[in-house]
Amino acid sequence: FLLFNLIQAQVSYGVRSGVNFAKWQGDDLQIIEDLLDKTDGYLVTKGRTGLHIGGYVHIPISETVSFEPGLEYSKKGYSIKGDFQIPVVKYFGINIGAQVQSHYIDIPLVLKANVYKGFQVYAGPQVSYLVRSTLNAKLGVLGISIFNKGFGITERFNKVDLGLTGGLGYQFDNGINIQAGYNYGLSKLDKNNNYAAYNRVVKISVGYTF
C-alpha cells in the first residue's frame, strides 16, 4: 500500500507532438519499386510526411526504469509521384501523382530507461487503430490541374495495426523532452490479403512533462 502511494505520487503526465516520415514496406511493394526504378526517375515512390500529436503518462518503476503508455493521433501513408521530363513530352509539363493518407490512433506501451544524465532509450509494443484512409489522385498538364480527386478507401484496410516502437530521447530538467523513434508495423494493411504491405514510420517528437 505504501509502495503504491509512493508510485502514484510520482506519476506525471505529458503532451507530445512532432513529424512523421511514413511509408509502406513489403515484398509486393518492393516489386513495384523495382519496376519504377526502371523509369529512370520519371516515376518514384515517396513517403508521406505528416504529424502526430497526443499525450502520455509517465509511471516510474524504479530509479532508472519507467512505464509510459500514450495516446496519439498519427498521420501515415504512401505515395507515387511522376514528373515526365522525357524530351518529347517535356514541353507539356505532364505530372501525375497518387497518395494514400491514413489517419490512425496510436497507443504505444513502452518501457523507458534513463541511461545517462537525461539520455533515454525506450521500446515496446504499439496498437494502432485506423480511423480513416483516402486515396488522392491527380494529373496536371502545363501547370494546370486536369484531375484531382480523393476517394475513401477505409474499408479496404485492416482497422487494427499491431507493431513495435522504439527509439532514443533526452529529458531536460525543465520538463521538455525530445525523441527520435521508429514504428515497425507487424500487421498486413490490406484487409483482403491481396498484397503484403506494412506501416513503417520514423518519428521526431518534442514533448513536455508536467
Side-chain angles (χ1 to χ4, degrees), residues 70-113:
L71 182 68
E72 296 179 348
Y73 161 77
S74 188
K75 193 173 182 179
K76 309 172 188 180
Y78 185 78
S79 65
I80 296 176
K81 183 179 179 181
D83 188 6
F84 291 93
Q85 298 299 321
I86 304 172
V88 178
V89 297
K90 182 177 180 180
Y91 175 79
F92 296 100
I94 299 174
N95 62 82
I96 63 173
Q99 59 183 8
V100 175
Q101 298 185 42
S102 299
H103 306 265
Y104 281 89
I105 299 298
D106 289 343
I107 306 174
L109 305 168
V110 303
L111 287 176
K112 179 175 287 186

Side-chain angles (χ1 to χ4, degrees), residues 108-176:
L109 305 168
V110 303
L111 287 176
K112 179 175 287 186
N114 295 310
V115 291
Y116 182 74
K117 293 184 178 180
F119 286 99
Q120 302 171 329
V121 295
Y122 67 92
Q126 177 172 282
V127 180
S128 299
Y129 180 80
L130 177 63
V131 178
R132 181 168 57 91
S133 189
T134 59
L135 170 65
N136 296 309
K138 64 179 181 180
L139 168 64
V141 178
L142 295 175
I144 301 173
S145 177
I146 304 299
F147 180 84
N148 191 344
K149 190 172 182 181
F151 306 88
I153 55 173
T154 307
E155 70 282 354
R156 300 192 180 190
F157 293 88
N158 286 313
K159 283 287 191 177
V160 177
D161 181 20
L162 302 178
L164 301 173
T165 184
L168 305 172
Y170 186 84
Q171 177 72 49
F172 296 93
D173 293 336
N174 60 4
I176 296 175

Side-chain angles (χ1 to χ4, degrees), residues 4-13 57-60 209-210:
F4 175 77
N5 283 343
L6 178 63
I7 293 176
Q8 190 176 38
Q10 295 178 340
V11 169
S12 54
Y13 304 87
V57 181
H58 183 81
I59 305 171
T209 302
F210 297 99

